[in-house]
Amino acid sequence: MKWRCMVCGYIYDEEQGDSEGGIPPGTPFEKLPDDWTCPVCGASKDLFEKLEE
């Protein structure tokens, strides 16, 4: 599953995780810490939308 930041367009890919943020590959978006933010613009999780596969 992939999620897009509605502020800057960054794509969080669950298969890839967020290596800079210490999120291992395979981490579902729902399991990200509540304080996780977009690594590009700093937007909070509630500003992400699920992309249709």
Side-chain angles (χ1 to χ4, degrees), residues 15 18 32-33 35 37-38 53:
E15 289 182 11
D18 172 19
L32 292 173
D35 62 352
T37 58
C38 175
E53 299 267 323

Side-chain angles (χ1 to χ4, degrees), residues 3-28:
W3 297 75
R4 177 174 52 221
C5 176
M6 294 185 287
V7 177
C8 74
Y10 167 80
I11 304 293
Y12 173 76
D13 184 340
E14 294 180 350
E15 289 182 11
Q16 308 240 335
D18 172 19
S19 59
E20 290 183 20
I23 306 297
T27 302

